[in-house]
């Protein structure tokens, strides 16, 4: 009686662990990266590696007594990956072959690490650790992006912006941290229709703020307009469905205050969801080659009640 109970405990633990990993895997797959924030989408994609790695270890612990446990584990994990992708068709999601590749890589990395670890030599233990590290690095990167965004609040750009280049992207321009200027960003524009800086995934909830305040200026000879574009998660990519305001920049540092109420009322036929802002862009239309714009600060101002 007691021996039978002892045998059942490891089995129930394995089944419980398997169900937990499967639930986490399904949760990751249920996130539509095309309809969510860049950071959340990055975490979703990065999560495939460690999740399927963990899944492979749980499956291996169950099938390790079979003739070919590694091959059996890979087969089971690939079947689960295929089922999880196909299941998205039933829920209206998109099947992405890159998810399957990530699942396969995660499985291979963790099983390779397990194989090296069981050989119990210092060098192979180090190699096993490196394989695990490789699998979790993308998730750590996107977690760091999320943490930096929280740390920067209520500012959208701080002195740490070079660490956030994945979400602070220059387009048709070069963004640098000027050495002899108090500005946070120096934008050197190319000759393009649109040139500037795009901030993906800013602080999403602006409901407790009263205004967006941009302090900016230009280098001599670069005076001219700068357009501020803001949209929410429901944006349909139509011009009338977002906020656009053109500011005139000179060499004199100027603080431009954009009321949140004006941003909320900008879309035609609806109000912008101030609790779900997904992108802020600063750009010049018909930019001239070599024009330089300095961004001194870009922050949300709290309401006077706060």
């Amino acid at each position: 009686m007691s021996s039978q109970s002892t045998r059942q405990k490891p089995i129930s633990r394995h089944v419980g662990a398997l169900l937990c990993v499967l639930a986490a895997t399904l949760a990751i797959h249920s996130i539509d990266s095309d309809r969510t924030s860049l950071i959340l989408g990055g975490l979703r994609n990065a999560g495939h590696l460690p999740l399927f790695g963990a899944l492979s270890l749980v499956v291996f612990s169950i099938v390790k007594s079979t003739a070919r446990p590694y091959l059996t584990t890979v087969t089971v994990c690939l079947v689960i990956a295929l089922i999880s992708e196909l299941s998205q068709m039933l829920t209206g999601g998109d099947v992405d072959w890159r998810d399957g590749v990530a699942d396969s890589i995660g499985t291979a990395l963790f099983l390779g690490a397990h194989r090296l670890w069981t050989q119990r030599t210092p060098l192979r233990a180090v190699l096993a650790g490196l394989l695990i590290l490789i699998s979790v690095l993308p998730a750590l990167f996107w977690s760091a992006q999320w943490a930096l965004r929280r740390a920067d609040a209520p500012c959208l750009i701080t002195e740490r912006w070079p660490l956030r280049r994945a979400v602070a992207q220059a387009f048709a321009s070069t963004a640098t941290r000027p050495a002899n200027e108090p500005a946070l960003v120096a934008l050197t524009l190319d000759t393009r229709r649109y040139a500037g800086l795009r901030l993906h995934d800013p602080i999403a909830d602006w409901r407790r703020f009263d205004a967006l305040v941009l302090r900016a200026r230009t280098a001599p000879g670069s005076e001219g307009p700068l357009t501020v574009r803001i949209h929410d998660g429901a944006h349909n990519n139509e011009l009338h469905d977002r906020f656009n305001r053109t500011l005139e920049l000179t060499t004199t540092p100027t603080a431009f205050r954009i009321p949140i109420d004006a941003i909320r009322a900008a879309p035609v036929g609806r109000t912008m969801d101030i609790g779900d802002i997904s992108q802020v862009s600063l750009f010049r239309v018909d930019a001239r080659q070599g024009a330089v714009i300095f961004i001194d600060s870009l922050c949300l101002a709290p309401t006077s009640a706060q």
Side-chain angles (χ1 to χ4, degrees):
M1 184 75 164
S2 60
S3 62
Q4 183 179 1
S5 175
T6 303
R7 285 195 301 269
Q8 288 176 345
K9 285 182 180 179
I11 294 175
S12 49
R13 281 199 298 268
H14 290 153
V15 172
L18 179 61
L19 291 175
C20 288
V21 176
L22 284 175
T25 303
L26 290 174
I28 281 287
H29 277 82
S30 68
I31 300 173
D32 188 343
S33 59
D34 293 332
R35 298 179 182 176
T36 55
S37 69
L38 184 68
I39 293 177
L40 186 57
L43 280 170
R44 171 200 184 276
N45 295 331
H48 282 265
L49 294 172
L51 269 178
F52 265 79
L55 176 64
S56 69
L57 294 184
V58 175
V59 172
F60 182 85
S61 67
I62 296 174
V63 303
K64 63 183 178 181
S65 60
T66 60
R68 296 182 177 180
Y70 285 100
L71 180 59
T72 302
T73 299
V74 170
T75 302
V76 171
C77 289
L78 290 180
V79 169
I80 292 174
L82 179 61
I83 292 173
S84 64
E85 284 299 318
L86 293 178
S87 67
Q88 294 187 78
M89 297 175 63
L90 302 176
T91 59
D94 295 325
V95 177
D96 192 340
W97 63 269
R98 291 171 297 183
D99 291 344
V101 172
D103 298 339
S104 302
I105 293 173
T107 299
L109 288 173
F110 270 65
L111 287 179
H114 180 271
R115 180 71 172 173
L116 290 167
W117 181 262
T118 55
Q119 293 174 355
R120 299 188 181 281
T121 65
L123 177 58
R124 289 177 178 177
V126 171
L127 291 175
L130 285 175
L131 291 180
I132 298 297
L133 181 61
I134 289 171
S135 70
V136 300
L137 272 178
L140 291 176
F141 170 80
W142 286 109
S143 297
Q145 295 297 308
W146 179 83
L148 285 170
R149 182 181 63 180
R150 285 183 61 88
D152 288 347
C155 291
L156 279 62
I157 298 178
T158 71
E159 66 279 358
R160 285 190 291 264
W161 76 265
L163 299 175
R164 303 186 63 206
R165 287 186 184 272
V167 293
Q169 298 173 337
F171 58 97
S173 64
T174 302
T176 58
R177 179 74 191 276
N180 301 317
E181 290 280 349
L184 296 175
V185 185
L187 281 176
T188 304
L189 308 182
D190 296 335
T191 304
R192 297 286 180 85
R193 173 64 173 164
Y194 303 103
L197 183 68
R198 183 178 296 114
L199 302 174
H200 297 280
D201 253 13
I203 305 164
D205 191 352
W206 293 15
R207 288 173 295 185
R208 60 190 179 90
F209 299 100
D210 185 60
L212 176 67
V213 181
L214 167 67
R215 186 175 177 84
R217 55 195 168 87
T218 70
S222 299
E223 298 87 343
L226 180 72
T227 298
V228 179
R229 167 182 163 173
I230 302 168
H231 68 251
D232 60 7
H235 179 50
N236 62 12
N237 210 33
E238 295 291 336
L239 179 63
H240 65 266
D241 195 58
R242 56 181 177 250
F243 174 87
N244 282 281
R245 177 169 294 185
T246 300
L247 312 172
E248 286 295 326
L249 301 186
T250 67
T251 56
T252 302
T254 305
F256 299 93
R257 187 179 181 89
I258 302 173
I260 296 297
D261 287 342
I263 299 170
R264 181 186 289 109
V268 176
R270 71 179 184 95
T271 56
M272 188 175 298
D273 185 355
I274 296 301
D276 185 32
I277 300 299
S278 61
Q279 190 179 111
V280 176
S281 298
L282 309 172
F283 60 92
R284 179 170 288 183
V285 180
D286 295 327
R288 178 177 57 80
Q289 181 75 32
V292 178
I293 295 174
F294 295 112
I295 307 298
D296 294 332
S297 64
L298 181 63
C299 296
L300 291 162
T303 60
S304 56
Q306 296 178 340

